[in-house]
Amino acid sequence: EAYEALQRKNSAVLGGMLWLRLGNRRITTAIDLSALGLDRIEETEDYIRIGAYVSLRRMETDACLRTAFGDVFSDAVKSIVGVQFRNMATVGGSIWGRFGFSDVLTVFLAMDSYVELYKGGIIPLEQFAKMKKDNDILVRLIVKKTPCKIIYSSVRNQRTDFPVLACAVSYMNGQYRASVGARPSRAMLLCSEKEEGFAAFVAENAPTEGNMRGSAAYRTHLIKVLVERSMNELGGM
């Protein structure tokens, strides 16, 4: 029913509404999915399913996510405005928006992550991140418990500002993975089995642009620095 309603002109799914309220878009049909049980984090032996209505704060403090992946989610969202904001902002809104500044998209992209779409089914997050927005509905984010070491870092001009650059580096299935966000374009993923020269490889192949927060050259420099630091923390280099 919600999917059918969303196909109408000027329809919108309501999430945390923190970004939606900043726009001037005319909405004639507002679709509320809050009664569908999508505010749950469900754990199985092989994966963790995060409903689209789960708040960033809930994700930040959830015990099963912390047990499986350590403090990486807390590190990724701790600078997103404040606790009150993170109590309202949703995982679904953060992922669906595919915003260039998204810490949430950046960290999940470096993991074995998938999205569940109502119409499109389950697809890799990397594929979803490259897609244009359409009128499908994001139901859940699925993170497989693939053995993974991961470090998240970002540079901000001030604590609660959008990131100048966001970076998640992981080692999984014998491969180094670097997700680079706030380029300022949406996050992208680069992978290599080679440890040596990986930071330079990422910096050379992740396009950057300049804006009010930093120049393209500065962002490219930050990519190399953050990837090198993250690999040191992972035990490499």
Side-chain angles (χ1 to χ4, degrees), residues 160-237:
T160 58
D161 193 7
F162 290 138
V164 178
L165 189 88
C167 180
V169 177
S170 65
Y171 183 72
M172 186 173 65
N173 292 332
Q175 189 179 61
Y176 289 98
R177 300 161 61 93
S179 170
V180 183
R183 301 176 294 115
S185 306
R186 67 178 65 170
M188 66 178 294
L189 181 68
L190 294 114
C191 306
S192 175
E193 295 181 357
K194 295 182 179 180
E195 175 185 336
E196 185 176 354
F198 182 61
F201 164 76
V202 177
E204 290 169 7
N205 290 278
T208 58
E209 299 175 11
N211 64 4
M212 61 186 289
R213 291 181 177 82
S215 67
Y218 179 49
R219 283 188 164 97
T220 298
H221 174 72
L222 287 178
I223 291 173
K224 190 169 186 295
V225 172
L226 293 185
V227 173
E228 284 181 349
R229 288 179 181 174
S230 296
M231 292 186 72
N232 282 330
E233 288 193 55
L234 288 175
M237 301 296 285

Side-chain angles (χ1 to χ4, degrees), residues 90-194:
T90 61
V91 172
S94 300
I95 295 294
W96 178 261
R98 284 162 277 196
F99 303 116
F101 55 78
S102 176
D103 299 275
V104 179
L105 177 60
T106 304
V107 69
F108 279 113
L109 199 55
M111 309 172 80
D112 195 2
S113 302
Y114 302 79
V115 294
E116 179 184 341
L117 303 172
Y118 173 74
K119 195 73 172 177
I122 297 174
I123 62 173
L125 180 59
E126 182 182 5
Q127 177 184 338
F128 175 77
K130 297 175 183 177
M131 291 167 53
K132 292 182 179 179
K133 293 181 184 178
D134 56 21
N135 287 341
D136 209 336
I137 294 177
L138 177 64
V139 181
R140 292 178 187 86
L141 184 68
I142 301 169
V143 188
K144 290 190 176 180
K145 291 182 178 178
T146 306
C148 171
K149 288 174 147 185
I150 181 168
I151 300 293
Y152 187 84
S153 57
S154 66
V155 171
R156 285 169 156 82
N157 289 331
Q158 62 181 26
R159 174 70 185 271
T160 58
D161 193 7
F162 290 138
V164 178
L165 189 88
C167 180
V169 177
S170 65
Y171 183 72
M172 186 173 65
N173 292 332
Q175 189 179 61
Y176 289 98
R177 300 161 61 93
S179 170
V180 183
R183 301 176 294 115
S185 306
R186 67 178 65 170
M188 66 178 294
L189 181 68
L190 294 114
C191 306
S192 175
E193 295 181 357
K194 295 182 179 180

